[in-house]
Amino acid sequence: MNQSQLTINNNNENLCQIISQSIAETAEQRITFAKYMDLVLYHPQHGYYATHPVNIGKQGDFLTSPHWSGDFGELLAEQFLEMWHIFQRPNNFTLVEMGAGQGILAEQILGYLQQTHLDFFQTIEYLIIEKSEVLKSEQKQRLGSYQVRWSDWDEIFHNSVTGCFFSNELVDAFPVHKFRIEDREIREIYVSYDSEGKFVEITDKISTPEIAEYFKLVDINLLSFADVEGYQSEINLQALDWIKIVSDKLLKGYVLTIDYGYQAARYYNPVRREGTLQCYYQHHRNNEPYWNIGRQDITAHVDFTALEKQGNLSGLETVGFTQQGLFLMALGLGYRLNKLSNNQGFSIEEVFRRREALHSLIDPMGLGNFGVLVQTKGLLEEEKKQTLKGLSMPPMR
């Protein structure tokens, strides 16, 4: 999105006042960018996810894999089915979807399993953890014909879940801290306001020692970069807390995280000097988080190394990291494409539409390049030896 498009500023003024008040209440007259992003996205009355009943999909600001094709949920369902078989088909298997959007992915998974694998479908407890009340309401309306339960984290007991925790494009929306290298020192980027009341960025010492500890965790030495002065990026501390919570609730099973991002060595790289923060407004991407406040989405890429390392410290084992394209092809997307080529029972228009949708899921320049991280906890040695079908293609590193 260019600057001329951004000049049509559509701020949520009530939210701007709340942010300004939050800044004014601090002694330093500033808040971290993570605090700012949290208010912009998740304020319960005026945040982006609280006030936009339709902000995802063709009529919204961005599309996710389930919007392109029901095949995405169906192929994930095949992977969950295999997990169930690895566990010798237990009578209770919990699928926990974290951040379920409009409920489309859940509908795809449950509808497919009900039609094709009724024995597995009947053992499933489908649990959704959703922060947005607006999205939760939409999910309940969409999924009313299925046995689905909504829960908060504190309602799930320690070591109580056998099954799979999974998310699709969740972690990228967690609030992040921003930083910049100045005088060969990591300085945090804060949000304040100027004499006209406009939000501005200022830098100062880091707000928490966890930021320095983060780079030790992922084994990155920013100051070793050539020409490091002015380099800036983000740190997702909430992702570390999130993976700790997931591990704490999981007794036995898998954690499946699908999102756009990199391993730490690619994320924190001298060639990526401006970080990965981006905003989405009416299907246009921009780098202006202080425009259209409360009306646009703000995201940052996921550091999968941090999820792996913190997961290891929290009791999880990493079993594979790959690309979405490879993951879905291994689960049978290629077979579905071949079936379309045979044109059995489909009109020409339907063949072209479905082929385009399937190709979009594996496009290496788009969704196909998303990362897929699989972690486990509590598996028996024999269960660990069984490679998941989705990871059966050569792993990505």
Side-chain angles (χ1 to χ4, degrees):
M1 183 180 288
N2 58 41
Q3 188 63 36
S4 63
Q5 289 173 301
L6 282 169
T7 53
I8 305 174
N9 205 348
N10 184 30
N11 289 340
N12 181 324
E13 294 301 332
N14 288 325
L15 181 59
C16 289
Q17 292 178 12
I18 290 168
I19 296 170
S20 296
Q21 182 178 355
S22 181
I23 293 170
E25 289 173 350
T26 67
E28 301 86 358
Q29 298 291 285
R30 69 191 187 202
I31 57 175
T32 65
F33 186 84
K35 174 66 173 178
Y36 170 82
M37 186 170 168
D38 184 62
L39 288 170
V40 166
L41 296 182
Y42 300 110
H43 186 275
Q45 282 79 46
H46 303 291
Y48 176 77
Y49 286 108
T51 58
H52 283 55
V54 183
N55 52 26
I56 310 172
K58 293 180 180 179
Q59 304 303 317
D61 296 317
F62 59 93
L63 290 165
T64 64
S65 291
H67 290 93
W68 282 103
S69 172
D71 296 87
F72 181 74
E74 293 176 6
L75 292 170
L76 281 187
E78 287 288 344
Q79 184 59 92
F80 299 143
L81 174 68
E82 184 190 34
M83 294 172 179
W84 181 61
H85 279 286
I86 289 173
F87 290 173
Q88 302 300 312
R89 299 161 55 98
N91 291 328
N92 296 289
F93 191 91
T94 304
L95 292 177
V96 185
E97 185 177 1
M98 301 167 287
Q102 296 166 315
I104 294 173
L105 180 56
E107 184 179 39
Q108 292 170 358
I109 291 168
L110 291 168
Y112 178 74
L113 291 176
Q114 186 179 40
Q115 292 176 9
T116 60
H117 301 286
L118 188 59
D119 53 347
F120 179 39
F121 175 81
Q122 291 174 336
T123 72
I124 292 172
E125 179 184 19
Y126 203 101
L127 188 62
I128 290 178
I129 298 174
E130 179 58 61
K131 190 171 183 177
S132 167
E133 291 298 326
V134 170
L135 290 176
K136 189 183 296 184
S137 176
E138 189 167 352
Q139 293 160 15
K140 289 181 177 180
Q141 185 173 13
R142 183 182 300 275
L143 301 171
S145 62
Y146 298 105
Q147 294 294 321
V148 177
R149 184 163 64 89
W150 282 261
S151 178
D152 295 327
W153 282 115
D154 57 6
E155 296 173 328
I156 304 174
F157 295 126
H158 167 71
N159 283 346
S160 63
V161 174
T162 295
C164 182
F165 283 86
F166 70 100
S167 62
N168 178 57
E169 293 193 58
L170 169 72
V171 183
D172 65 87
F174 288 172
V176 295
H177 292 260
K178 290 180 65 177
F179 70 89
R180 181 181 297 125
I181 303 298
E182 295 179 351
D183 298 325
R184 298 191 63 80
E185 181 183 3
I186 299 176
R187 307 271 288 181
E188 185 157 3
I189 296 173
Y190 295 87
V191 179
S192 186
Y193 48 69
D194 61 17
S195 58
E196 298 179 354
K198 294 180 180 179
F199 296 121
V200 295
E201 293 186 345
I202 58 175
T203 60
D204 204 341
K205 294 181 179 179
I206 58 177
S207 60
T208 170
E210 292 178 356
I211 292 176
E213 293 166 4
Y214 183 96
F215 289 108
K216 294 179 182 177
L217 176 71
V218 299
D219 194 25
I220 293 292
N221 180 7
L222 295 174
L223 299 183
S224 68
F225 295 171
D227 190 27
V228 70
E229 188 68 15
Y231 173 91
Q232 71 175 43
S233 194
E234 318 86 26
I235 296 172
N236 193 336
L237 295 180
Q238 187 170 325
L240 304 185
D241 295 334
W242 170 77
I243 203 69
K244 290 178 190 176
I245 294 171
V246 172
S247 179
D248 176 72
K249 307 301 183 183
L250 182 62
L251 173 65
K252 176 180 179 179
Y254 297 86
V255 182
L256 174 63
T257 307
I258 303 174
D259 223 314
Y260 49 89
Y262 313 107
Q263 297 281 36
R266 289 187 62 199
Y267 196 116
Y268 301 106
N269 190 292
V271 301
R272 193 169 287 108
R273 292 185 58 83
E274 300 299 321
T276 72
L277 193 82
Q278 52 197 14
C279 308
Y280 291 92
Y281 182 69
Q282 297 179 355
H283 292 286
H284 291 281
R285 184 172 64 185
N286 68 81
N287 300 311
E288 300 287 348
Y290 307 108
W291 287 87
N292 297 311
I293 296 170
R295 310 294 191 195
Q296 67 176 359
D297 193 23
I298 306 176
T299 74
H301 282 50
V302 176
D303 176 0
F304 282 101
T305 300
L307 294 182
E308 289 190 55
K309 297 278 191 179
Q310 186 59 61
N312 292 341
L313 293 174
S314 304
L316 299 176
E317 295 183 39
T318 299
V319 295
F321 178 65
T322 188
Q323 293 171 311
Q324 176 172 301
L326 296 174
F327 185 72
L328 296 179
M329 287 295 288
L331 288 170
L333 190 145
Y335 169 77
R336 293 180 177 221
L337 280 171
N338 290 334
K339 189 175 179 181
L340 279 176
S341 299
N342 295 330
N343 196 19
Q344 297 178 354
F346 299 107
S347 67
I348 295 297
E349 293 79 7
E350 179 70 6
V351 167
F352 281 123
R353 187 194 66 78
R354 289 204 63 212
R355 182 179 292 153
E356 180 184 10
L358 288 170
H359 277 294
S360 71
L361 295 176
I362 58 174
D363 180 3
M365 300 301 292
L367 295 170
N369 196 41
F370 277 27
V372 180
L373 175 64
V374 183
Q375 297 161 289
T376 62
K377 181 183 176 185
L379 272 64
L380 302 174
E381 288 303 317
E382 285 301 314
E383 294 167 339
K384 292 179 184 179
K385 293 177 182 178
Q386 301 186 55
T387 301
L388 292 176
K389 187 177 181 181
L391 299 175
S392 59
M393 288 191 172
M396 180 186 72
R397 279 293 172 186

